Amino acid sequence: MKIYPLTARPLTFAALALGSALLSFSVPGEAKELKLGIITPPQHVWTKAAHEFAERVESESDGDLSVALFPAGQLGDEPAMFAQMQSGLLDMGIMTAAITSQREPSVNGWFTPFLFDNVEDAIQATQTPAAEQMLDNLSDKGLHAFGYTFAGMRHILMRDQAVTSIDDLDHQKIRIIPISAMQTWWRATGAVPTPIQLPDVYQGLQNKMIDGVGIDLDALVGSGFDEVAQHLTLTNHMAFPAIAMVSSTTWDTLSENEREVVNHAMHEALNWANQAQVDAEADNLDYLEQHIDVRHLDDAKAQFAKANTAFDDKFSVLPLISQFQQQVADQHAEK
Ligand code: BEZ
């Protein structure tokens, strides 16, 4: 396994310099190299899943396949990584469902507010036919998807005051990922949704460019946001999956045996990561409760009713999204 060294920031220059690494070709007799890009930093569970995948591929293929990892957004942001997969420069990625939803709108179903109580519920929802269909729909975008993995549920971290009711969000600048689902929901809360990249959030909180952030506990702790914002309200308002995928061009060049190895290694890595995320959720909460102001917003779904309706009006009208919501509700009813 090769791991490309980290740069402080995902600069375009760094991505260009790495271009030569991306342009390597496999030589007869040498291991065929698969290049995998991921936005998350080394300590994040998704990056650890990528390592797990790489180790398994190399051992299960007896060294015929190797994996070069480009973590921490070294190849640029996710739209850039998608373009690289499309042009054949990059083979694989573990991509946020957020940016994937810009290619396949049904993936927005995962951002249905208050659909899941916890990460375990979201993991169970990957078994629904609708969740599988979302993955299949990526094939006509030149992508072969293996499955899902999860960051923690999203909550609200504020710098100056806790959110004890929806009114506390009025006119507050809240960092979001710039996708329509988050923009729609956050705007309807009365907040000012402010799109900035994850690596800029720490400084944004510090210099008051933003007042708060919708975030999962892993990213909060991993990026040290608790150093600059100390009021966490647990809302569980959205899940936050990623999708592991390979470009169809690369997939088509693999032999049947290589595909089996890659497929098996990725499913094992995703299963490992999902269990690790469930454990991390409890550990992160433990840590935060000892360090900052943590509270629950018990009637969160009701408090956010207007925002939930705004999401429904725009997204739940998509047949695959409403099927997904129904299938998840059926899973809950069976419990
Ligand atoms: C974020 O941008 O909020 C994010 C991205 C990847 C993993 C976790 C969070």
Side-chain angles (χ1 to χ4, degrees):
M1 179 194 334
K2 274 188 217 151
I3 304 159
Y4 281 85
L6 296 174
T7 53
R9 296 281 310 275
L11 297 173
T12 315
F13 268 145
L16 284 175
L18 284 164
S20 56
L22 284 174
L23 271 174
S24 63
F25 296 98
S26 41
V27 175
E30 278 186 16
K32 201 184 277 182
E33 187 179 75
L34 296 170
K35 299 166 189 76
L36 188 153
I38 185 161
I39 198 80
T40 45
Q43 68 275 19
H44 196 278
V45 75
W46 295 352
T47 311
K48 292 181 187 161
H51 281 261
E52 187 79 15
F53 166 71
E55 277 165 21
R56 284 176 181 275
V57 162
E58 291 179 11
S59 73
E60 289 176 24
S61 72
D62 290 328
D64 287 345
L65 291 173
S66 70
V67 178
L69 293 182
F70 297 87
Q74 289 175 74
L75 304 177
D77 58 13
E78 288 197 303
M81 281 195 260
F82 269 116
Q84 289 155 10
M85 276 197 272
Q86 216 121 38
S87 67
L89 272 178
L90 179 65
D91 299 303
M92 305 184 72
I94 300 180
M95 312 297 283
T96 62
I99 302 301
T100 307
S101 73
Q102 295 174 332
R103 286 172 190 251
E104 172 47 41
S106 67
V107 169
N108 279 308
W110 286 100
F111 303 116
T112 304
F114 302 102
L115 189 58
F116 311 107
D117 288 338
N118 49 44
V119 176
E120 286 98 319
D121 277 357
I123 292 170
Q124 200 191 2
T126 63
Q127 305 302 316
T128 59
E132 284 168 14
Q133 186 63 51
M134 292 174 198
L135 299 184
D136 289 348
N137 287 358
L138 287 167
S139 64
D140 59 6
K141 281 95 191 166
L143 298 162
H144 173 88
F146 297 99
Y148 299 93
T149 185
F150 291 84
M153 298 297 291
R154 285 178 101 82
H155 308 284
I156 304 174
L157 178 72
M158 300 295 288
R159 188 190 50 241
D160 297 328
Q161 56 165 38
V163 174
T164 56
S165 90
I166 182 108
D167 298 338
D168 294 331
L169 284 169
D170 201 33
H171 291 100
Q172 296 292 299
K173 287 180 271 140
I174 304 294
R175 178 268 173 169
I176 61 155
I177 299 175
I179 59 163
S180 176
M182 290 194 187
Q183 228 137 16
T184 302
W185 190 79
W186 274 106
R187 192 170 297 123
T189 65
V192 182
T194 309
I196 56 174
Q197 301 268 10
L198 190 63
D200 297 327
V201 169
Y202 188 103
Q203 215 180 355
L205 285 165
Q206 206 168 31
N207 66 20
K208 307 202 173 183
M209 185 181 148
I210 50 173
D211 301 305
V213 53
I215 196 73
D216 67 86
L217 303 187
D218 223 24
L220 192 174
V221 173
S223 306
F225 297 155
D226 53 312
E227 293 164 12
V228 283
Q230 270 125 23
H231 302 283
L232 174 65
T233 301
L234 298 170
T235 51
N236 276 314
H237 59 269
M238 269 174 206
F240 198 68
I243 299 177
M245 57 186 79
V246 58
S247 87
S248 303
T249 315
T250 300
W251 193 238
D252 290 345
T253 63
L254 298 181
S255 68
E256 196 149 324
N257 184 46
E258 287 168 339
R259 285 185 191 189
E260 248 170 59
V261 165
V262 170
N263 194 42
H264 182 255
M266 187 56 92
H267 279 103
E268 292 288 306
L270 296 179
N271 288 340
W272 173 88
N274 285 342
Q275 188 50 52
Q277 187 55 64
V278 170
D279 298 343
E281 201 74 339
D283 293 346
N284 286 326
L285 186 56
D286 233 34
Y287 168 84
L288 288 165
E289 279 176 337
Q290 288 172 41
H291 289 87
I292 61 172
D293 162 31
V294 180
R295 59 186 75 205
H296 285 266
L297 192 59
D298 288 331
D299 54 349
K301 186 172 179 181
Q303 293 255 3
F304 286 94
K306 190 170 155 221
N308 303 340
T309 303
F311 177 94
D312 280 340
D313 289 349
K314 191 155 181 186
F315 296 99
S316 305
V317 287
L318 243 82
L320 190 49
I321 292 186
S322 66
Q323 285 159 24
F324 178 60
Q325 293 164 343
Q326 187 55 54
Q327 289 164 13
V328 172
D330 292 347
Q331 281 185 334
H332 285 192
E334 278 167 23
K335 277 192 191 164

